[in-house]
């Protein structure tokens, strides 16, 4: 307990940029160690968390430069990959949390963000959160239409049919 308090006190006394650099440094070190041992996927969620923290601290310091955006994109990639694995093993709560965090790291116009929205909508559907699934899918549909992305638009429409079907919503499910 005493050591934990000392660690927290020291960490909280650091400047945000120093904290961000510590998180980034840890990820670089861990990536190297994990690559040598072929264990990268095993720690992907943890490393995504550290990059997410670094991104948050950098964002709190002001506008993000290209390196800051790249950190966010890398964190999002790792968190969304972890979300897909959580979905595959049936852990919908973890998948929803991870997708939500991955999406929050990306800008509104980011193409990767658009591709994550239908996946997040499907997780919400599986959780029975039909209202939020509708919101996420509506955002995905609007963004897909704006970007003329027919693949995402078609995926969203199929998910919207499933939401109407499973929520017993009145209307045409065809």
């Amino acid at each position: 307990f005493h050591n934990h308090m000392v660690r927290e006190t020291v960490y909280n006394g650091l400047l945000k940029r120093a904290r961000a650099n510590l998180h980034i440094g840890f990820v670089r070190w861990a990536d190297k160690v994990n690559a040598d041992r072929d264990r990268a996927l095993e720690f992907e969620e943890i490393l995504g968390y550290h990059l997410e923290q670094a991104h948050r601290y950098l964002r709190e310091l002001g506008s993000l430069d290209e390196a800051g955006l790249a950190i966010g994109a890398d964190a999002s990639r790792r968190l969304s990959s972890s979300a897909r694995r959580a979905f595959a093993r049936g852990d919908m709560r973890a998948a929803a949390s991870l997708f939500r965090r991955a999406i929050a790291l990306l800008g509104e116009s980011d193409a990767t963000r658009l591709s994550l929205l239908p996946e997040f909508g499907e997780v919400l559907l599986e959780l029975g959160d039909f209202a939020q699934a509708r919101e996420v899918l509506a955002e995905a549909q609007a963004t897909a239409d704006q970007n003329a992305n027919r693949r995402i638009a078609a995926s969203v429409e199929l998910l919207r049919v499933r939401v109407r079907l499973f929520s017993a919503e009145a209307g045409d499910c065809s």
Side-chain angles (χ1 to χ4, degrees):
F1 179 73
H2 179 70
N3 290 337
H4 177 70
M5 285 181 49
V6 169
R7 183 184 62 82
E8 285 298 309
T9 302
V10 170
Y11 180 78
N12 289 332
L14 294 173
L15 298 174
K16 289 181 181 180
R17 187 163 311 282
R19 290 184 208 176
N21 288 334
L22 284 173
H23 285 288
I24 293 166
F26 172 74
V27 171
R28 286 183 183 146
W29 170 82
D31 278 344
K32 190 172 133 184
V33 169
N34 290 332
D36 292 344
R37 297 177 182 163
D38 197 28
R39 297 179 73 180
L41 286 179
E42 192 174 336
F43 298 100
E44 194 170 42
E45 182 178 343
I46 294 167
L47 299 179
Y49 163 81
H50 283 283
L51 291 171
E52 178 184 30
Q53 294 305 302
H55 182 265
R56 187 189 75 187
Y57 288 130
L58 293 173
R59 189 177 60 228
E60 288 175 3
L61 291 171
S63 298
L64 291 171
D65 59 7
E66 198 164 309
L69 294 172
I71 290 166
D74 190 13
S76 179
R77 178 187 59 78
R78 293 173 195 244
L79 292 173
S80 61
S81 176
S82 297
R84 288 182 193 100
R85 284 194 306 284
F87 180 85
R89 70 176 179 265
D91 189 350
M92 296 306 149
R93 295 217 181 278
S97 174
L98 290 163
F99 272 127
R100 185 175 286 112
R101 291 166 50 202
I103 290 167
L105 289 162
L106 302 171
E108 298 267 329
S109 61
D110 193 302
T112 303
R113 183 179 190 280
L114 174 58
S115 69
L116 293 176
L117 288 172
E119 292 181 86
F120 182 38
E122 185 173 11
V123 169
L124 293 169
L125 168 67
E126 293 295 325
L127 282 171
D129 190 346
F130 303 123
Q132 190 173 7
R134 284 186 197 95
E135 288 177 25
V136 168
L137 294 174
E139 179 185 350
Q141 185 70 56
T143 307
D145 291 344
Q146 182 180 15
N147 293 308
N149 189 322
R150 292 184 3 207
R151 184 185 62 80
I152 296 291
S155 176
V156 168
E157 188 53 39
L158 288 172
L159 286 167
R160 288 174 121 175
V161 168
R162 289 185 60 208
V163 168
R164 284 193 302 270
L165 180 68
F166 290 118
S167 68
E169 181 181 320
D172 184 18
C173 286
S174 60

